[in-house]
Amino acid sequence: MNTTNGMHFYNLQVSDIEKKFETDCRTGLSKEGAQQRFLRDGANEFEKKKQKSLLAKFLEQFKSFMIFVLLIAAIISGIVGYMNGEGFTDAIIILIIVILNACIGTAQEVKAEKSIEALEKMSAPYSKVLREGQVETIPSREIVRGDIVVIETGDLIPADIRLTEAINLKIEEAALTGESVPETKHSEVIEGEVPLGDRENMAFSSTLVSYGRGKGIAVATGMSTEVGKIAGMIQSVPETKTPMQVRIDQLGKFLGIAALAICLIIFLVGIIEGREVLEMFMTAVSLAAAAIPEGLPAVSTIVLAVGVQRLAKRHAIVRHLPSVETLGSTNVICSDKTGTLTQNKMTIVNLYTDHQLSEVPESLNTDQMRLLISSILANDAKLSGENGRWKTTGDPTETAFLNTGLRFGLNKNDIEGQQERIAEVPFDSERKMMTTVNRDGSKIYVHTKGGVDELLACCKSILLNGEVLELSEHEKEKIRKANVHMAEKELRVLGVAYKEVTEVPSEVTPKTLEHDLIFVGMVGMIDPPREEVKDAVVKCREAGIKPVMITGDHLITAVAIAESLDIKEKDEIAMTGSELEKMKEEDLLKNIDDTSVYARVSPEHKVRIVKAFQKKGAIVAMTGDGVNDAPALKLADIGLAMGITGTDVSKEAADVVLADDNFTTIVAAVEEGRRIYDNILKAIQFMLSTNIGEIIVIFVAIVANWPTPLLPIQILWINLVTDSLPALALSVDSADPDVMRRKPVDSKGGIMSKTFLTRILLQGAMIGGLSLAAFLIGLQTSVAVGQTMTFAVLAFAQITHVLNVRSSLHSAFRNMFKNKLLLGALAIVLFLMIIVLEVPQLHDIFHLAPLTQMQWIWVVVLSVAPLPIVELVKGILRLMKK
C-alpha cells in the first residue's frame, strides 16, 4: 500500500502515519506486535516465480512447426523403411538431428528467471529497528509495516520508509530513479503528487544511504515496495518471439504444406500412370524429404551459437540465443542516460579563479591549487588504495574533488596528514554548505564549500592572483554572472572559500565559523557523456536506427546531454513522465516517432514507451543498468544491460549484457546481428535452392514416366552432408561492407520475399536442370549409372553453388579465400562424396554404380556450371544497378 484515503504517504503528517500503523516514533513496535504483523503480512521479501524444469525447457524446443514436420517425416521414413526391408536408418538420422537441435537450443537458450533472486541479493541482510524503546539489529526480512527503521551512512534501505528524522541525509537512488546525484532527504510533508525521484521525505527499499543519518516508519515491505512493484512487473512481462523465430516458423509451415502438397500430387500422378502404390508412396515420401531441409533448424541454431561467441569477443555477452539476430532487425534503441550515455561519475570540467573561467588545465596556478586543496579538505569522501591505484567512496560530488586532485598529485590522505581536521560543521540542506577546521602546524585554517550565493554571503575578501583583496559588490556581480553562465551549461556549481584563524571557537557552529571568509573560486562539474557515444549515435542513424533517451533525471539536463550527443535533433520533442502520464494512448502513438527524450520517468513509463513503439511495429532494444530498467529490458525485443555498472536485476532481465558498458558495443552488436541474419538467409537460400533442384529432378522424372533418378537414402545423404556442412560454414562469413548503411530488416516481412523466392526458384531450376541432364546421360548406360551421375552432380553442384550464395550481387571470387571454414567444409564434403562414389563396399548401401572416365568428365562439367551461370546473372544485375 502506497496510499491511504487516496493520499500518498509523502503527503501525510508523521502523526497521521503513526496512527495508521499503530506505532510510536519514540518507542517503536512491541516485540509481540511485530511478531503478529509478521505472521499476518508475511516476510519482507519478494515472491518467487515458479521456475520451469529443465525437461520443460527441453520440450519447448519441439514447439516449432518445422520440428513437428521433421518428426512426422521421421515416423513416415521409419514406416517406409520397415515396409521396404531397409530398417530405420533414415528415421533414426532425422531423429538424431531433431534431438541435437533441441539440446543445442536448451543449452544456449536457458534464460533462467533469476530476476527475483537478484533483487533479494540487493536487500540488506540486517537492519536496525526501534522496538520497545531499544534499537536492535534484526534480519531485514523480519521488518514489518509500522517498524521504526534507523538508517545511517552505508546502509541499504530495507523497506519503503516515510522519514520522520533526516540529519544531513543523502540517499543514492540512481538504480531506482536514474538520478546520478544522491537525493537530499527531509522529513517535512510534500504537497500534491510528485514523481518518484522528488519524494524527498521517503527512503526506498534497496537504495543506499551515502551520507548522514535518519529514521522513519516502514510503510511498505516486500512486494508492496517500489522495488517490489518492479519485481512484480518483471514476473508479469510475457516472453516474446524474436523476428527470426517467427520467420523460421512461417517458413516451416510453408515448407510443411508444400511437402504435403507435393507428396499428394506425385502420388496421384503416379497412380494415374499405373505405377505400383507402394513404389509411389515411397517416391512421394522421398520427395517430401527433399522438400524439407532437415538440417535447417540445427543450422539456424548453430549459426546463432557461433554468433554468440563472436559477440563475446566484441564484449557483448548473449544470455538468450535467438536474440542475437534480433539485433539486426532493431530500429529503435531506448537508452537510459546515467551510466549508459554518461559516465555516471561527477567530473569537474571548469575552474573559476581570478575572475577567469577555464577548463581544467594541464597544470595549476597558485590560486587554482588553493581552490582544490580547500575543497579536498572540506570534504567527507574517502580515498583508499596505494601505488596509484586509488578508489574514492562517498557522495559523487565530493569524490569529484578527490579525483581531480589526484590528477595534480593532491592526495587527500597526504593533505589531511599535513592539515589534521580538528572540528567540522556538517553540510545541511538549509545553509547548503559544509565547513572543516584543520590544523597545519601552528596555523589553523577554516575551509568551506557550498552553494555560490550562500557562500558569497559569508565572504568578506577574495583571493585574486595570490593577493587577498576586499570583496566588493562589483566583484560579487562578476562571480554571480560566471555562476549563471556555468549553470546554463547544465553544470553543477560549487563555491570554495577559506580563512586563517588564531583559535578554534569554544562553540563550533555555522555562526562562529562561517563568516569573514576569503572567496577562492568556483568549480563546475557534470556527469559527462561517454566520449565514444556521439559516433555510435551517428552510426545508429546511418543504420536506420532511432536513438531515444529515457531517464529519471531532470528534463533540462536530459535535453542538454541528448543534444550534445545528437540524440535529440532540432525538430524532435522532449517529454516528462508527468506529461506522458496525462497523455492518451492514441496521442502517445501519434507523437512517439517525433519524441527522442523522456525525462523524470518511472519504471511504468518505460514499459509504456516500449509497448508504444512495439505497437507501431518497431523492434525495440532497451539499454540500462538500474533496477528501474529491468521490466522494460525484459519486455523489449532485445534487452541490453551494462556489465560493469549494471545491477544484477538488470543483467538477469536482459538478453545481452555489454561487458564493457560501452554504448559503441551496441553498434558492434547490431552489425553482428545483421551479419548473422544475412548468413542465416544465405544458409536458407543455399539449402532451399538445392532442395528445389532435387524436387524438380524427381517431379520431372515422374511426370515424364522415367525411372526414379534419386533414391531416399541418396536424398537424405545430400540433405544431411552436402547441404548442412557448407550451410554451417556460411555462419562465419564476413559482413558486407555496407551492412551498417542500410535500413533494418522489416520485422513484418517474412523470409520468403518475392525477390528472395524468385532467386531460390531460378537457382533451384538451374541445379535441377543440370542434374536431369546428368541423369539422361547416365540413363543411356543404365538406371543405376543415371542415378549415380544424378547423385554426384547434385552433390558437387552444391559445392560450387555455395560460393554463389555468399552474395546476391558481388562475384563469388571476391574474398573467395577469406572464409577458411567454408573452404574446409567444401573439402570435407568433396572427400566424403569421392569415398562414397569410389569405394565399392559403399555402393550397395547407396545403390550406386561405377562411372567411366567420360561420365566423370560430364559430372565435373555439369557440377561446375552453376558458377559461370550465376556469375553472368550477377554481372548483368550490377550493370543494371549502375
Side-chain angles (χ1 to χ4, degrees):
M1 291 287 293
N2 286 312
T3 61
T4 179
N5 296 326
M7 294 186 72
H8 297 278
F9 290 124
Y10 57 81
N11 298 139
L12 300 177
Q13 295 286 349
V14 171
S15 58
D16 293 330
I17 297 174
E18 284 181 307
K19 192 181 297 182
K20 174 176 174 56
F21 290 107
E22 298 176 358
T23 189
D24 189 325
C25 289
R26 294 165 298 178
T27 59
L29 297 173
S30 66
K31 292 181 181 179
E32 184 182 350
Q35 180 65 21
Q36 289 174 352
R37 294 184 189 204
F38 182 82
L39 294 173
R40 182 191 68 196
D41 298 336
N44 176 32
E45 57 190 11
F46 304 111
E47 294 173 3
K48 291 182 173 64
K49 184 177 179 181
K50 189 178 180 182
Q51 299 290 324
K52 295 175 186 173
S53 67
L54 188 63
L55 178 62
K57 291 169 184 170
F58 178 76
L59 293 176
E60 278 190 348
Q61 307 298 316
F62 294 89
K63 287 183 178 179
S64 166
F65 186 83
M66 182 169 283
I67 297 293
F68 177 72
V69 170
L70 287 178
L71 290 172
I72 298 296
I75 294 169
I76 294 173
S77 296
I79 294 169
V80 171
Y82 178 76
M83 293 171 65
N84 197 34
E86 294 180 350
F88 300 100
T89 306
D90 295 359
I92 290 170
I93 291 173
I94 294 174
L95 285 173
I96 287 172
I97 290 170
V98 171
I99 292 169
L100 179 63
N101 176 71
C103 289
I104 293 170
T106 302
Q108 291 280 356
E109 190 182 317
V110 170
K111 188 181 182 180
E113 299 292 342
K114 293 179 181 176
S115 298
I116 308 305
E117 288 83 349
L119 282 164
E120 285 179 339
K121 289 177 189 174
M122 292 182 64
S123 299
Y126 288 91
S127 300
K128 294 182 286 293
V129 296
L130 187 64
R131 287 186 179 171
E132 297 182 353
Q134 300 293 320
V135 175
E136 54 183 79
T137 301
I138 64 169
S140 294
R141 68 186 302 274
E142 294 179 11
I143 287 177
V144 296
R145 290 189 296 163
D147 257 325
I148 307 302
V149 182
V150 180
I151 54 175
E152 58 186 23
T153 303
D155 285 349
L156 274 170
I157 307 296
D160 283 1
I161 299 166
R162 168 63 165 89
L163 294 168
T164 60
E165 182 181 296
I167 301 171
N168 303 323
L169 183 62
K170 291 185 179 182
I171 296 181
E172 173 64 69
E173 296 179 344
L176 185 64
T177 66
E179 283 277 13
S180 55
V181 177
E183 189 74 37
T184 300
K185 298 293 183 177
H186 60 76
S187 58
E188 302 303 316
V189 170
I190 296 173
E191 300 293 338
E193 190 166 335
V194 296
L196 194 68
D198 293 335
R199 297 172 192 174
E200 296 170 351
N201 60 6
M202 297 288 296
F204 299 107
S205 175
S206 298
T207 59
L208 177 69
V209 180
S210 63
Y211 193 81
R213 57 190 173 86
K215 66 179 180 179
I217 303 170
V219 295
T221 59
M223 295 298 287
S224 298
T225 62
E226 294 296 332
V227 175
K229 289 182 194 173
I230 294 173
M233 289 165 67
I234 293 172
Q235 287 185 1
S236 64
V237 172
E239 296 288 337
T240 56
K241 283 192 174 184
T242 71
M244 182 57 84
Q245 283 177 313
V246 172
R247 292 182 183 117
I248 292 289
D249 282 351
Q250 289 171 346
L251 180 62
K253 291 173 184 176
F254 171 78
L255 293 177
I257 293 167
L260 293 174
I262 290 166
C263 281
L264 185 60
I265 292 168
I266 294 299
F267 184 76
L268 292 174
V269 169
I271 296 299
I272 291 169
E273 288 183 351
R275 300 199 184 202
E276 290 184 12
V277 174
L278 182 58
E279 178 194 347
M280 287 315 304
F281 180 72
M282 290 169 55
T283 303
V285 169
S286 66
L287 193 58
I292 301 169
E294 288 90 343
L296 182 57
V299 167
S300 61
T301 302
I302 293 170
V303 167
L304 292 175
V306 170
V308 167
Q309 301 305 317
R310 288 174 61 98
L311 279 169
K313 291 177 182 177
R314 301 182 81 166
H315 308 294
I317 300 163
V318 177
R319 301 186 64 253
H320 186 201
L321 185 63
S323 298
V324 177
E325 60 81 22
T326 312
L327 284 163
S329 303
T330 298
N331 49 21
V332 175
I333 296 178
C334 296
S335 176
D336 190 32
K337 178 184 73 70
T338 306
T340 307
L341 299 170
T342 65
Q343 297 175 23
N344 196 21
K345 181 180 178 183
M346 293 301 287
T347 304
I348 294 174
V349 292
N350 284 142
L351 299 180
Y352 179 86
T353 56
D354 307 323
H355 289 317
Q356 296 292 322
L357 178 63
S358 66
E359 295 182 355
V360 179
E362 292 295 322
S363 60
L364 302 175
N365 62 35
T366 305
D367 290 356
Q368 290 170 337
M369 186 76 74
R370 163 58 65 189
L371 176 75
L372 280 184
I373 289 174
S374 289
S375 62
I376 288 169
L377 288 169
N379 197 311
D380 284 331
K382 305 295 181 188
L383 184 66
S384 57
E386 57 185 12
N387 300 325
R389 295 185 178 181
W390 301 106
K391 181 183 178 183
T392 56
T393 53
D395 186 291
T397 301
E398 299 211 310
T399 61
F401 288 103
L402 270 59
N403 287 321
T404 303
L406 288 172
R407 288 174 56 184
F408 300 100
L410 299 175
N411 184 303
K412 184 184 182 185
N413 298 339
D414 295 339
I415 295 171
E416 284 193 331
Q418 185 179 347
Q419 289 197 38
E420 178 191 2
R421 184 185 294 192
I422 55 177
E424 66 181 289
V425 181
F427 175 89
D428 70 56
S429 56
E430 287 185 13
R431 57 184 238 287
K432 297 181 180 177
M433 291 189 291
M434 79 164 287
T435 296
T436 63
V437 183
N438 297 76
R439 187 190 302 277
D440 185 358
S442 60
K443 297 181 178 180
I444 299 173
Y445 291 97
V446 174
H447 301 283
T448 303
K449 76 174 193 305
V452 176
D453 291 334
E454 290 78 9
L455 188 66
L456 282 175
C458 301
C459 292
K460 185 179 181 181
S461 309
I462 182 171
L463 184 67
L464 286 176
N465 301 311
E467 292 185 51
V468 178
L469 305 174
E470 181 185 351
L471 182 62
S472 67
E473 196 58 41
H474 177 65
E475 305 285 357
K476 287 183 179 181
E477 189 57 33
K478 282 185 178 181
I479 294 167
R480 290 189 186 104
K481 282 184 179 179
N483 180 25
V484 170
H485 177 68
M486 283 195 280
E488 285 174 347
K489 295 196 298 180
E490 300 310 319
L491 299 180
R492 186 174 189 193
V493 186
L494 291 177
V496 179
Y498 82 105
K499 69 176 178 179
E500 186 178 348
V501 295
T502 55
E503 60 181 3
V504 181
S506 56
E507 191 176 342
V508 177
T509 65
K511 203 169 187 179
T512 59
L513 286 177
E514 292 171 354
H515 62 85
D516 297 336
L517 297 172
I518 302 167
F519 185 84
V520 182
M522 299 180 289
V523 299
M525 60 180 73
I526 195 171
D527 180 9
R530 292 179 178 271
E531 294 178 4
E532 64 278 4
V533 168
K534 192 166 185 175
D535 289 338
V537 169
V538 171
K539 287 183 180 179
C540 283
R541 291 196 182 278
E542 286 179 352
I545 300 168
K546 177 181 174 65
V548 178
M549 179 193 288
I550 305 179
T551 178
D553 217 335
H554 294 280
L555 182 65
I556 295 173
T557 305
V559 168
I561 296 290
E563 288 179 343
S564 70
L565 294 173
D566 292 337
I567 287 175
K568 183 182 181 297
E569 296 183 325
K570 288 183 179 179
D571 57 342
E572 291 184 319
I573 303 168
M575 188 184 299
T576 65
S578 300
E579 292 169 338
L580 177 64
E581 203 158 288
K582 295 171 186 174
M583 190 173 282
K584 294 179 181 178
E585 193 66 22
E586 55 267 29
D587 293 330
L588 175 59
L589 293 172
K590 184 180 177 182
N591 291 306
I592 198 158
D593 290 332
D594 298 320
T595 307
S596 57
V597 177
Y598 296 89
R600 306 303 280 169
V601 297
S602 67
E604 291 90 346
H605 295 148
K606 292 188 176 190
V607 171
R608 189 181 174 200
I609 292 164
V610 171
K611 283 182 176 178
F613 272 118
Q614 290 173 334
K615 282 182 182 177
K616 297 274 285 189
I619 299 296
V620 184
M622 168 73 187
T623 72
D625 57 359
V627 177
N628 60 332
D629 296 322
L633 284 173
K634 193 151 186 263
L635 178 68
D637 299 281
I638 180 87
L640 301 160
M642 300 295 127
I644 299 172
T645 59
T647 59
D648 287 343
V649 183
S650 64
K651 292 175 190 175
E652 297 300 341
D655 300 292
V656 177
V657 177
L658 305 178
D660 57 358
D661 281 18
N662 197 328
F663 192 85
T664 57
T665 302
I666 300 171
V667 180
V670 169
E671 182 179 351
E672 183 64 21
R674 291 189 176 191
R675 186 193 68 83
I676 288 167
Y677 181 81
D678 286 351
N679 288 350
I680 289 176
L681 287 188
K682 290 176 190 178
I684 291 171
Q685 180 184 339
F686 170 67
M687 297 179 85
L688 291 188
S689 59
T690 53
N691 284 8
I692 285 171
E694 297 166 29
I695 293 169
I696 289 171
V697 168
I698 296 175
F699 184 77
V700 171
I702 295 296
V703 171
N705 204 17
W706 297 339
T708 302
L710 283 172
L711 299 175
I713 188 69
Q714 296 168 347
I715 292 170
L716 200 62
W717 174 264
I718 289 171
N719 283 3
L720 300 185
V721 178
T722 61
D723 267 12
S724 299
L725 283 177
L728 281 172
L730 285 171
S731 67
V732 297
D733 233 17
S734 57
D736 283 339
D738 61 346
V739 71
M740 289 300 286
R741 289 192 291 273
R742 68 182 193 219
K743 299 297 180 185
V745 177
D746 183 6
S747 62
K748 294 178 183 177
I751 290 174
M752 306 303 283
S753 67
K754 188 182 290 185
T755 304
F756 190 60
L757 185 59
T758 301
R759 195 183 306 142
I760 289 172
L761 291 173
L762 289 176
Q763 291 175 359
M766 173 190 68
I767 291 172
L770 293 170
S771 301
L772 278 172
F775 178 66
L776 293 174
I777 292 168
L779 196 58
Q780 295 174 13
T781 303
S782 69
V783 172
V785 170
Q787 289 173 338
T788 303
M789 288 186 69
T790 306
F791 176 61
V793 169
L794 258 177
F796 291 138
Q798 290 186 19
I799 294 176
T800 54
H801 184 53
V802 75
L803 300 173
N804 291 326
V805 302
R806 291 183 66 201
S807 174
S808 60
L809 194 63
H810 299 293
S811 171
F813 300 102
R814 191 189 70 157
N815 298 325
M816 186 175 179
F817 300 102
K818 195 171 182 179
N819 189 341
K820 300 290 192 298
L821 188 63
L822 179 60
L823 296 176
L826 296 182
I828 291 170
V829 171
L830 186 64
F831 176 72
L832 291 173
M833 280 301 301
I834 290 172
I835 287 178
V836 168
L837 289 165
E838 288 297 301
V839 175
Q841 289 84 350
L842 296 175
H843 284 183
D844 289 341
I845 296 174
F846 287 92
H847 309 288
L848 301 173
L851 302 179
T852 64
Q853 186 176 0
M854 191 62 206
Q855 288 165 345
W856 267 112
I857 290 172
W858 275 113
V859 166
V860 171
V861 170
L862 293 170
S863 299
V864 174
L867 205 53
I869 292 171
V870 175
E871 280 296 302
L872 179 63
V873 173
K874 286 181 181 179
I876 295 169
L877 288 173
R878 285 196 297 271
L879 287 173
M880 289 172 65
K881 190 175 182 181
K882 287 181 181 178

